[in-house]
Amino acid sequence: MDALVPEPVVMGVVNVTPDSFSDGGEWLDPAAAIAHGRALVAQGAAILDVGGESTRPGAEPVSEAEELRRVLPVLDGLAGAGVRLSIDTSKAAVAAAAIDAGATLVNDVTALRGDPAMAALVAERGCDVCLMHMLGEPRTMQRDPRYGDVVDDVRRFLAERLKQAVAQGIARERVWLDPGIGFGKTIDHNLELLRRLDEIVALGRPVVVGTSRKSFLGTITGGREPGERLAGTIATNVLALTRGASVFRVHDVAEARDALLVAAATLRGRWLAPTTTSTTTTSTRTSTKTRASRRS
Ligand code: HH2
C-alpha cells in the first residue's frame, strides 16, 4: 500500500473576509488577497481555495452580494496564476460566478445542503466538488456536539451525501470528501476522526483534511494562538497522510508541503520529483499575526 502513496495535494487558503478565525482582515483588500494567493503558489500550492464567508463557530452569514463582491476580483486576479482555483462557498450564485471566473472546484461546507440549486449547478458545469461534514450550522455548531460513534456517523453522512450527489447528476469521480474537522466537533471527536481517517478514505473518493491552525491544536499544546499552531497542523496533516488523505487545506503552504513531500517519500521508500515548485524558504518567513481562536 505504501508504494502507492501519491504526491500530496496542498490547497492554500485565501480568506477574503474580515472575520476568519486565524487571518480575518489580512486579505480583505483584493490586491492583498491576490498577492497572498500568488505567494502561496510560489510556496507550492496546487490549489487555491478562495472564500468570502467565515465559517468559524459563531460566524454570522454573509449576503450573496457581499460574498460576490469579496471573491470575484480575487478570482479574476488569480486566474492564470498556474494553479487550480477552488471556491469555498455554499451559495450556488457565488459558485456559478466563480466557475465563470475560472474555478474548477466547489468547496461546499454544507455538502450541497445549503442551497437547493448547488447540486444542479455542479452537475451542469462538470466541476469537482468537495462535500464536507458539519453538524448543525456555524452559528451554533460548537454547542455540545454529540455523536453515537463519530467516525461511523461522519462516514455514513458522507456516503449518503455522495449517493445524493450522484443521484443529482454529479459524476462520482468528481466528488471529494472531507470529515469537517472543527465543524460541530469536540477535541476528542476531531482526534478520533483523524486517528480513524482510513475509514472515511475507504469510501473510495479523495479525502480532504482541514486542520490548519484550528483551536484543538492550540488547546492540546497548552493555549497556543492560531499563528503558533503550525507544528500541530503539520503533525495532523502527516498523520492524515498515513491514513490515506490526499488533499491538505492549509494556511502555511511552504512548511506543510515540505513536510508532506518528505512524509510521502518515506512511506513510499522512494522520492518523486515534485510536480509543484516552491521558490520560497521556510525559515525566513515571518509568522502570521496571532489572534484568539474560537474554533474547536
Ligand atoms: N475549514 C474552514 C473553511 N473551509 N473547507 C473544507 N473543505 N474543510 C475545512 O476543514 C474547512 C473548509 C475553516 O478555516 P478557515 O477558512 O481558515 O476559517 P474561516 O471559516 O473562519 O474563514
Side-chain angles (χ1 to χ4, degrees), residues 32-58:
I34 293 164
H36 180 56
R38 289 185 183 277
L40 297 185
V41 175
Q43 291 174 32
I47 305 173
L48 293 179
D49 189 35
V50 178
E53 177 176 31
S54 171
T55 52
R56 70 179 162 73

Side-chain angles (χ1 to χ4, degrees), residues 13 23 28 51 96 104 110 158 163 187 190 192 207 236 240 280:
V13 180
D23 56 359
L28 194 53
T104 57
T110 72
L158 291 175
K163 199 169 135 197
I187 296 178
N190 290 331
E192 189 68 359
V207 167
T236 48
T280 54

Side-chain angles (χ1 to χ4, degrees), residues 13 15 19-21 53-56 88 107 109 130 132 178 181 183 208 210 214 249 251 295:
V13 180
N15 281 326
D19 56 345
S20 286
F21 79 97
E53 177 176 31
S54 171
T55 52
R56 70 179 162 73
D88 187 350
N107 176 21
V109 297
C130 177
M132 197 196 77
D178 185 329
I181 300 297
F183 286 84
V208 180
K214 285 182 181 172
R249 183 182 184 279
H251 302 84
R295 183 179 292 280

